Amino acid sequence: MTEHTDTAKAVADGAAVLTTVGVMVTWLPPLASLFTIIYLGLRIWETDTVRKLTNRKRGSNASDE
């Protein structure tokens, strides 16, 4: 009887893992898009043009790229 129970637990665990992976795959594109938007927003915010428009100075430890 315990062999059937162990098999049922293994099947349930496998289904849980597949469900978790499925959820993560579904959420990955929107999450990647969100991080891309945040990253590009920060890059734009740090440009010299936006710094001039917002009256901000470059930091003394900023690198010249």
Side-chain angles (χ1 to χ4, degrees), residues 4 12 16 22 25 27-28 32-33 37 39 42 44 47 49 52 55-58 61 63:
H4 295 293
V25 169
W27 278 92
L28 187 57
S33 298
I37 290 168
Y39 174 77
L42 289 172
I44 291 169
T47 60
T49 305
K52 289 177 186 174
N55 294 323
R56 292 184 300 130
K57 297 179 183 178
R58 285 183 70 107
N61 61 350
S63 63

Side-chain angles (χ1 to χ4, degrees), residues 2-58:
T2 59
E3 290 179 21
H4 295 293
T5 306
D6 290 340
T7 303
K9 286 181 183 179
V11 170
D13 288 343
V17 168
L18 289 176
T19 302
T20 302
V21 170
V23 168
M24 290 174 77
V25 169
T26 302
W27 278 92
L28 187 57
L31 188 62
S33 298
L34 175 65
F35 286 137
T36 301
I37 290 168
I38 291 170
Y39 174 77
L40 291 175
L42 289 172
R43 294 280 295 177
I44 291 169
W45 179 251
E46 292 298 324
T47 60
D48 290 334
T49 305
V50 174
R51 283 182 179 277
K52 289 177 186 174
L53 290 172
T54 58
N55 294 323
R56 292 184 300 130
K57 297 179 183 178
R58 285 183 70 107

